[in-house]
Amino acid sequence: QVQLVESGGGSVQAGGSLRLSCTVSGFTHSSNCMGWVRQAPGKEREGVAAIYRAGSNTYYADSVKGRFTISQDNAKNTVYLQMNSLKPEDTAMYYCAADAAGCSGGYRMQAMDFGYWGQGTQVTVSS
């Protein structure tokens, strides 16, 4: 049984930082593409970042490029999302997602086409 467990959400003022973590268990093979997808109330879901774990290639939505960084610790089977210079529009539920296939050059993030999902962690940014 595959499980993705997120942590690290919370409330922060605009300009602040948060780091989200996502630990994967139950994979019998590498979770080749892992990403973060967010959804704010009343808005569509948005894929914000992804990492191809075998090659460490990373992909970002334009809305977060230069502010968010996705990284991994293979020994801990954990992926991180470092979020800096946070804005009120970053407020959303953030979901960790994984797929055994690759990231397809960022397409999987854009399409939010992942086979496994976490339960989500809330990020709230106040102005």
Side-chain angles (χ1 to χ4, degrees):
Q1 180 181 356
V2 177
Q3 281 191 315
L4 280 68
V5 179
E6 304 104 327
S7 61
S11 297
V12 65
Q13 289 191 326
S17 299
L18 284 172
R19 189 178 80 157
L20 307 182
S21 300
C22 174
T23 300
V24 183
S25 62
F27 255 67
T28 59
H29 51 77
S30 298
S31 44
N32 282 336
C33 186
M34 291 190 67
W36 293 91
V37 175
R38 68 184 180 185
Q39 185 163 27
K43 295 186 178 181
E44 293 186 351
R45 289 187 308 165
E46 177 188 23
V48 296
I51 185 166
Y52 175 56
R53 301 193 65 194
S56 295
N57 306 62
T58 56
Y59 308 92
Y60 298 95
D62 288 343
S63 59
V64 306
K65 203 171 292 183
R67 300 188 298 121
F68 290 11
T69 303
I70 189 169
S71 62
Q72 61 181 341
D73 184 332
N74 287 335
K76 297 181 179 179
N77 224 15
T78 298
V79 170
Y80 304 98
L81 185 68
Q82 178 68 42
M83 305 184 294
N84 298 329
S85 302
L86 282 162
K87 305 175 181 180
E89 51 264 43
D90 294 317
T91 294
M93 184 72 78
Y94 283 72
Y95 297 92
C96 177
D99 200 275
C103 288
S104 302
Y107 170 79
R108 191 170 303 284
M109 178 199 74
Q110 295 172 353
M112 296 169 284
D113 180 22
F114 295 95
Y116 304 97
W117 294 80
Q119 80 288 353
T121 186
Q122 178 67 38
V123 171
T124 302
V125 184
S126 58
S127 58

